Amino acid sequence: MSKLKELPFTTLQFYATAPYECSYLPNRLARSQVATPTHLIHADIYGELVSSGFRRSGLYTYRPYCDGCKACTACRVQVNHFQAKRYQRRAFQKHHGLSVQVGHLGYFEEHYQLYMQYQKHRHLGGGMDSDDQEQYKQFLLQSKVNSRLIEFRDGPNDPEPGKLRMVSIIDMIQDGLSSVYTFYDASVKNASYGTYCIMWQLQQAKDLGLPYLYLGYYIEESPKMSYKAEFEPLEILLDSQWQVNPTIRTIKSQ
């Protein structure tokens, strides 16, 4: 494993992408800053990048770099200070019987079909609902860092034992876990798979003695991102400093 002193940040180069349509806020253009070359971004360097506000999509490590907009802020949960709200505890208890299998990245047709079903239920018309197998692989199954794929299946006491309900991709870094992407069976009424998964990740980080769970970017104006503010204390990266932001509004009662 390469050490930071052997691969200083000065080895990397950063470039800005061309503007593209923002996926989260209407009528806005977005840009990203991408770290290159990808073959130098291994575990140690990647961990430093994540703690500096970057995120991974396949082999690309990036952060928002938009003209005149700072709506996206990197966020992370303080694992040892997290206090679950009532509905979060209920979600964790509700799905505690799921069978969990942790493995390495790999393609499985069953996973891909669940991914497509999730996109059609949750993100219809956003482009990802038409991803082919190659796009799916590039987005989720390519990594040069310490990544894990976690399967969640119905347990023996659940409605359909062995049925795949959720898949989550996480990266393991020096000071925490970075949640890359999670998709689940959105057809199950009254399920709380998304909340359960974050609770599970928080527990895993705690068991491993890691202080943070990185949740990507928080966007106060985007309803899709509002759930992240519910996991408190949530730190956000402002002016290169991680801080708990008391102005973040939560939307659910405790």
Side-chain angles (χ1 to χ4, degrees), residues 151-175:
E151 285 185 348
F152 298 84
R153 296 180 179 273
D154 271 359
N157 297 320
D158 287 318
E160 300 178 67
K163 184 174 178 59
L164 182 68
R165 294 299 186 186
M166 180 163 55
V167 174
S168 186
I169 311 293
I170 60 172
D171 293 334
M172 304 183 69
I173 58 178
Q174 296 97 319
D175 65 350

mmCIF file of all heavy atoms in Angstrom, residues 151-175:
data_model
loop_
_atom_site.group_PDB
_atom_site.id
_atom_site.type_symbol
_atom_site.label_atom_id
_atom_site.label_comp_id
_atom_site.label_asym_id
_atom_site.label_seq_id
_atom_site.Cartn_x
_atom_site.Cartn_y
_atom_site.Cartn_z
ATOM 1 N N GLU A 151 -24.853 -7.544 0.484
ATOM 2 C CA GLU A 151 -26.190 -8.032 0.124
ATOM 3 C C GLU A 151 -27.054 -8.114 1.376
ATOM 4 O O GLU A 151 -26.597 -8.557 2.431
ATOM 5 C CB GLU A 151 -26.115 -9.451 -0.449
ATOM 6 C CG GLU A 151 -25.604 -9.587 -1.840
ATOM 7 C CD GLU A 151 -25.716 -11.042 -2.297
ATOM 8 O OE1 GLU A 151 -25.975 -11.940 -1.454
ATOM 9 O OE2 GLU A 151 -25.568 -11.282 -3.486
ATOM 10 N N PHE A 152 -28.292 -7.720 1.226
ATOM 11 C CA PHE A 152 -29.280 -7.880 2.291
ATOM 12 C C PHE A 152 -30.431 -8.713 1.721
ATOM 13 O O PHE A 152 -31.066 -8.304 0.743
ATOM 14 C CB PHE A 152 -29.802 -6.523 2.763
ATOM 15 C CG PHE A 152 -28.746 -5.622 3.355
ATOM 16 C CD1 PHE A 152 -27.951 -4.831 2.539
ATOM 17 C CD2 PHE A 152 -28.557 -5.573 4.728
ATOM 18 C CE1 PHE A 152 -26.992 -3.990 3.070
ATOM 19 C CE2 PHE A 152 -27.593 -4.733 5.280
ATOM 20 C CZ PHE A 152 -26.805 -3.949 4.445
ATOM 21 N N ARG A 153 -30.673 -9.848 2.315
ATOM 22 C CA ARG A 153 -31.728 -10.747 1.861
ATOM 23 C C ARG A 153 -32.708 -11.026 2.991
ATOM 24 O O ARG A 153 -32.361 -10.931 4.177
ATOM 25 C CB ARG A 153 -31.146 -12.072 1.358
ATOM 26 C CG ARG A 153 -30.254 -11.933 0.130
ATOM 27 C CD ARG A 153 -29.700 -13.276 -0.315
ATOM 28 N NE ARG A 153 -28.856 -13.149 -1.497
ATOM 29 C CZ ARG A 153 -29.310 -13.178 -2.749
ATOM 30 N NH1 ARG A 153 -30.602 -13.394 -2.964
ATOM 31 N NH2 ARG A 153 -28.487 -13.023 -3.769
ATOM 32 N N ASP A 154 -33.921 -11.390 2.613
ATOM 33 C CA ASP A 154 -34.901 -11.798 3.619
ATOM 34 C C ASP A 154 -34.347 -12.961 4.431
ATOM 35 O O ASP A 154 -33.780 -13.912 3.873
ATOM 36 C CB ASP A 154 -36.212 -12.221 2.950
ATOM 37 C CG ASP A 154 -37.172 -11.057 2.762
ATOM 38 O OD1 ASP A 154 -36.821 -9.935 3.176
ATOM 39 O OD2 ASP A 154 -38.269 -11.271 2.213
ATOM 40 N N GLY A 155 -34.513 -12.869 5.744
ATOM 41 C CA GLY A 155 -34.088 -13.943 6.622
ATOM 42 C C GLY A 155 -35.137 -15.038 6.713
ATOM 43 O O GLY A 155 -36.203 -14.962 6.073
ATOM 44 N N PRO A 156 -34.880 -16.054 7.513
ATOM 45 C CA PRO A 156 -35.798 -17.197 7.597
ATOM 46 C C PRO A 156 -37.191 -16.844 8.097
ATOM 47 O O PRO A 156 -38.152 -17.556 7.796
ATOM 48 C CB PRO A 156 -35.082 -18.155 8.563
ATOM 49 C CG PRO A 156 -34.096 -17.300 9.300
ATOM 50 C CD PRO A 156 -33.681 -16.236 8.348
ATOM 51 N N ASN A 157 -37.320 -15.737 8.842
ATOM 52 C CA ASN A 157 -38.631 -15.352 9.371
ATOM 53 C C ASN A 157 -39.281 -14.229 8.572
ATOM 54 O O ASN A 157 -40.323 -13.711 8.963
ATOM 55 C CB ASN A 157 -38.486 -14.920 10.837
ATOM 56 C CG ASN A 157 -38.011 -16.055 11.720
ATOM 57 O OD1 ASN A 157 -38.442 -17.197 11.561
ATOM 58 N ND2 ASN A 157 -37.114 -15.749 12.647
ATOM 59 N N ASP A 158 -38.662 -13.842 7.463
ATOM 60 C CA ASP A 158 -39.209 -12.789 6.617
ATOM 61 C C ASP A 158 -40.153 -13.388 5.574
ATOM 62 O O ASP A 158 -40.230 -14.620 5.420
ATOM 63 C CB ASP A 158 -38.070 -12.013 5.943
ATOM 64 C CG ASP A 158 -37.345 -11.110 6.925
ATOM 65 O OD1 ASP A 158 -38.025 -10.472 7.742
ATOM 66 O OD2 ASP A 158 -36.102 -11.044 6.878
ATOM 67 N N PRO A 159 -40.885 -12.528 4.836
ATOM 68 C CA PRO A 159 -41.916 -13.026 3.907
ATOM 69 C C PRO A 159 -41.409 -14.009 2.864
ATOM 70 O O PRO A 159 -42.072 -15.011 2.569
ATOM 71 C CB PRO A 159 -42.435 -11.743 3.251
ATOM 72 C CG PRO A 159 -42.183 -10.671 4.253
ATOM 73 C CD PRO A 159 -40.904 -11.050 4.935
ATOM 74 N N GLU A 160 -40.232 -13.737 2.273
ATOM 75 C CA GLU A 160 -39.694 -14.605 1.224
ATOM 76 C C GLU A 160 -38.231 -14.909 1.531
ATOM 77 O O GLU A 160 -37.333 -14.224 1.032
ATOM 78 C CB GLU A 160 -39.823 -13.942 -0.144
ATOM 79 C CG GLU A 160 -41.250 -13.624 -0.547
ATOM 80 C CD GLU A 160 -41.318 -12.929 -1.902
ATOM 81 O OE1 GLU A 160 -40.980 -13.585 -2.904
ATOM 82 O OE2 GLU A 160 -41.699 -11.743 -1.934
ATOM 83 N N PRO A 161 -37.961 -15.896 2.359
ATOM 84 C CA PRO A 161 -36.577 -16.189 2.767
ATOM 85 C C PRO A 161 -35.634 -16.305 1.573
ATOM 86 O O PRO A 161 -35.912 -16.976 0.595
ATOM 87 C CB PRO A 161 -36.724 -17.537 3.490
ATOM 88 C CG PRO A 161 -38.128 -17.531 4.001
ATOM 89 C CD PRO A 161 -38.926 -16.837 2.940
ATOM 90 N N GLY A 162 -34.506 -15.588 1.685
ATOM 91 C CA GLY A 162 -33.492 -15.626 0.645
ATOM 92 C C GLY A 162 -33.674 -14.611 -0.458
ATOM 93 O O GLY A 162 -32.777 -14.445 -1.293
ATOM 94 N N LYS A 163 -34.789 -13.909 -0.495
ATOM 95 C CA LYS A 163 -35.032 -12.943 -1.567
ATOM 96 C C LYS A 163 -34.156 -11.709 -1.372
ATOM 97 O O LYS A 163 -34.090 -11.150 -0.285
ATOM 98 C CB LYS A 163 -36.502 -12.519 -1.605
ATOM 99 C CG LYS A 163 -36.823 -11.572 -2.771
ATOM 100 C CD LYS A 163 -38.302 -11.289 -2.868
ATOM 101 C CE LYS A 163 -38.618 -10.315 -4.006
ATOM 102 N NZ LYS A 163 -38.179 -10.827 -5.329
ATOM 103 N N LEU A 164 -33.505 -11.285 -2.440
ATOM 104 C CA LEU A 164 -32.655 -10.094 -2.390
ATOM 105 C C LEU A 164 -33.506 -8.849 -2.195
ATOM 106 O O LEU A 164 -34.425 -8.585 -2.970
ATOM 107 C CB LEU A 164 -31.847 -9.983 -3.689
ATOM 108 C CG LEU A 164 -30.870 -8.801 -3.777
ATOM 109 C CD1 LEU A 164 -29.725 -8.971 -2.785
ATOM 110 C CD2 LEU A 164 -30.325 -8.655 -5.192
ATOM 111 N N ARG A 165 -33.184 -8.064 -1.169
ATOM 112 C CA ARG A 165 -33.935 -6.845 -0.875
ATOM 113 C C ARG A 165 -33.113 -5.571 -1.061
ATOM 114 O O ARG A 165 -33.677 -4.528 -1.385
ATOM 115 C CB ARG A 165 -34.459 -6.888 0.564
ATOM 116 C CG ARG A 165 -35.480 -7.959 0.842
ATOM 117 C CD ARG A 165 -36.728 -7.790 -0.017
ATOM 118 N NE ARG A 165 -37.769 -8.748 0.344
ATOM 119 C CZ ARG A 165 -38.911 -8.889 -0.319
ATOM 120 N NH1 ARG A 165 -39.150 -8.139 -1.396
ATOM 121 N NH2 ARG A 165 -39.798 -9.786 0.069
ATOM 122 N N MET A 166 -31.788 -5.676 -0.884
ATOM 123 C CA MET A 166 -30.996 -4.451 -0.944
ATOM 124 C C MET A 166 -29.536 -4.806 -1.211
ATOM 125 O O MET A 166 -29.042 -5.851 -0.803
ATOM 126 C CB MET A 166 -31.128 -3.691 0.382
ATOM 127 C CG MET A 166 -30.372 -2.387 0.479
ATOM 128 S SD MET A 166 -30.963 -1.337 1.849
ATOM 129 C CE MET A 166 -30.787 -2.472 3.248
ATOM 130 N N VAL A 167 -28.863 -3.887 -1.909
ATOM 131 C CA VAL A 167 -27.425 -3.985 -2.155
ATOM 132 C C VAL A 167 -26.809 -2.634 -1.826
ATOM 133 O O VAL A 167 -27.347 -1.585 -2.202
ATOM 134 C CB VAL A 167 -27.115 -4.357 -3.621
ATOM 135 C CG1 VAL A 167 -25.609 -4.306 -3.887
ATOM 136 C CG2 VAL A 167 -27.670 -5.734 -3.954
ATOM 137 N N SER A 168 -25.692 -2.651 -1.121
ATOM 138 C CA SER A 168 -25.014 -1.413 -0.762
ATOM 139 C C SER A 168 -23.524 -1.538 -1.073
ATOM 140 O O SER A 168 -22.921 -2.583 -0.810
ATOM 141 C CB SER A 168 -25.217 -1.103 0.727
ATOM 142 O OG SER A 168 -24.669 0.162 1.056
ATOM 143 N N ILE A 169 -22.951 -0.471 -1.639
ATOM 144 C CA ILE A 169 -21.526 -0.412 -1.923
ATOM 145 C C ILE A 169 -20.904 0.581 -0.955
ATOM 146 O O ILE A 169 -21.363 1.727 -0.845
ATOM 147 C CB ILE A 169 -21.243 0.061 -3.365
ATOM 148 C CG1 ILE A 169 -22.088 -0.709 -4.374
ATOM 149 C CG2 ILE A 169 -19.750 -0.045 -3.675
ATOM 150 C CD1 ILE A 169 -21.752 -2.156 -4.497
ATOM 151 N N ILE A 170 -19.860 0.169 -0.242
ATOM 152 C CA ILE A 170 -19.168 1.065 0.679
ATOM 153 C C ILE A 170 -17.668 0.972 0.437
ATOM 154 O O ILE A 170 -17.162 -0.054 -0.026
ATOM 155 C CB ILE A 170 -19.482 0.759 2.157
ATOM 156 C CG1 ILE A 170 -19.051 -0.672 2.521
ATOM 157 C CG2 ILE A 170 -20.946 0.972 2.471
ATOM 158 C CD1 ILE A 170 -19.160 -0.971 4.003
ATOM 159 N N ASP A 171 -16.970 2.059 0.743
ATOM 160 C CA ASP A 171 -15.511 2.094 0.719
ATOM 161 C C ASP A 171 -15.009 2.218 2.142
ATOM 162 O O ASP A 171 -15.570 2.972 2.949
ATOM 163 C CB ASP A 171 -15.001 3.286 -0.097
ATOM 164 C CG ASP A 171 -15.327 3.172 -1.578
ATOM 165 O OD1 ASP A 171 -15.483 2.034 -2.064
ATOM 166 O OD2 ASP A 171 -15.420 4.224 -2.242
ATOM 167 N N MET A 172 -13.945 1.496 2.434
ATOM 168 C CA MET A 172 -13.320 1.564 3.750
ATOM 169 C C MET A 172 -12.107 2.477 3.649
ATOM 170 O O MET A 172 -11.199 2.242 2.844
ATOM 171 C CB MET A 172 -12.933 0.169 4.220
ATOM 172 C CG MET A 172 -14.107 -0.796 4.253
ATOM 173 S SD MET A 172 -13.681 -2.437 4.902
ATOM 174 C CE MET A 172 -13.384 -2.035 6.620
ATOM 175 N N ILE A 173 -12.076 3.530 4.471
ATOM 176 C CA ILE A 173 -10.959 4.463 4.472
ATOM 177 C C ILE A 173 -10.403 4.576 5.892
ATOM 178 O O ILE A 173 -10.931 3.972 6.825
ATOM 179 C CB ILE A 173 -11.367 5.841 3.918
ATOM 180 C CG1 ILE A 173 -12.527 6.434 4.724
ATOM 181 C CG2 ILE A 173 -11.767 5.714 2.448
ATOM 182 C CD1 ILE A 173 -12.937 7.825 4.258
ATOM 183 N N GLN A 174 -9.347 5.394 6.045
ATOM 184 C CA GLN A 174 -8.629 5.412 7.312
ATOM 185 C C GLN A 174 -9.498 5.801 8.496
ATOM 186 O O GLN A 174 -9.374 5.225 9.581
ATOM 187 C CB GLN A 174 -7.430 6.377 7.226
ATOM 188 C CG GLN A 174 -6.373 5.964 6.226
ATOM 189 C CD GLN A 174 -6.556 6.675 4.898
ATOM 190 O OE1 GLN A 174 -7.684 6.834 4.417
ATOM 191 N NE2 GLN A 174 -5.465 7.129 4.292
ATOM 192 N N ASP A 175 -10.368 6.788 8.312
ATOM 193 C CA ASP A 175 -11.122 7.293 9.460
ATOM 194 C C ASP A 175 -12.615 7.010 9.365
ATOM 195 O O ASP A 175 -13.403 7.640 10.064
ATOM 196 C CB ASP A 175 -10.884 8.799 9.640
ATOM 197 C CG ASP A 175 -11.425 9.630 8.482
ATOM 198 O OD1 ASP A 175 -11.815 9.043 7.451
ATOM 199 O OD2 ASP A 175 -11.464 10.874 8.604
#
